Each structure stands twice: as C-alpha cells, then as structure tokens.
Amino acid sequence: MQETKNSVTYSVKTPNGYEVLFTMRDDTPELLLAKMQKLEIHMATNGFEAITKGYKKSGSYSNSGSSFSGGSDAPATEKQESLIKAKWPLEWKEGMTKAEANTLISSKYGK
C-alpha cells in the first residue's frame, strides 16, 4: 500500500488507561476530515481521553455528538485575551467567547 499525503495521528488514553498512538490516512483531506469527525465522536463517547502534551484542548463535542469545535460558548483563549487587551483594550469584554474574539481579531487584521 502506497503512503498517502493526508494523515492524522491521535495520542489518546484508552478507557483502560493505556496511552496509544492512532494514525489514520486517506486520499483526500475531505475524506480524512470526515473520518476524523466520526472517530473523535466515537472516542469521546466511549471513554477515550486526548493526550495534549503542551497544548490546551479547547472546546468540546456538541450535545448532538455531530462535531468537534471550539464551540460558540467556549471562552476566549489566553492568547486571544492577551492580544485583544494589548492592542484594543477598550474592546475586551469579560466573558468573551472564543468565537467573539476570533471575529474581533479577524476584523482588525482585515481577514
């Protein structure tokens, strides 16, 4: 089998406490992302835990179990908060969500 260009590797702890690497591959990014979405829902609902080693996991699975995202109500990250407070302090609002912070930052940088 030839190696594909599109792959993702998850570092997870199984429900029994084993830390494992799980790699998936596919021919196109779209197919890989679809498989990732299904796998992430399966892992989250079956007791697997993400191992993030130095990265903060943000967001959660939606109640419907249909997708993984930062969530519309996820709080702004520390990095977002620091940037906004440093560059646009009057526009920072306590309790700002990640989505609101992204919208503000994007509008300031014209993206």
Side-chain angles (χ1 to χ4, degrees):
M1 179 183 238
Q2 186 177 11
E3 187 78 17
T4 64
K5 293 180 183 179
N6 306 290
S7 68
V8 63
T9 299
Y10 293 92
S11 179
V12 296
K13 185 182 283 188
T14 68
N16 292 325
Y18 294 97
E19 292 186 6
V20 298
L21 295 176
F22 183 84
T23 301
M24 275 192 315
R25 294 178 175 83
D26 214 305
D27 294 327
T28 69
E30 295 80 13
L31 290 173
L32 181 61
L33 289 170
K35 286 181 179 180
M36 288 170 58
Q37 184 178 30
K38 288 179 183 178
L39 177 66
E40 289 174 9
I41 292 167
H42 176 79
M43 288 191 298
T45 58
N46 286 286
F48 289 80
E49 294 178 39
I51 300 172
T52 56
K53 298 189 186 196
Y55 297 96
K56 288 175 69 176
K57 179 182 169 192
S58 64
S60 61
Y61 285 89
S62 67
N63 290 336
S64 65
S66 62
S67 66
F68 181 80
S69 68
S72 60
D73 59 349
T77 65
E78 290 176 26
K79 188 174 182 179
Q80 289 173 317
E81 181 178 349
S82 297
L83 176 66
I84 294 168
K85 283 182 174 179
K87 293 196 175 256
W88 315 286
L90 298 176
E91 298 194 44
W92 172 255
K93 296 178 186 89
E94 286 303 318
M96 185 176 270
T97 67
K98 188 174 183 179
E100 291 169 331
N102 277 336
T103 301
L104 175 63
I105 294 166
S106 294
S107 71
K108 296 297 184 182
Y109 286 109
K111 295 181 181 178

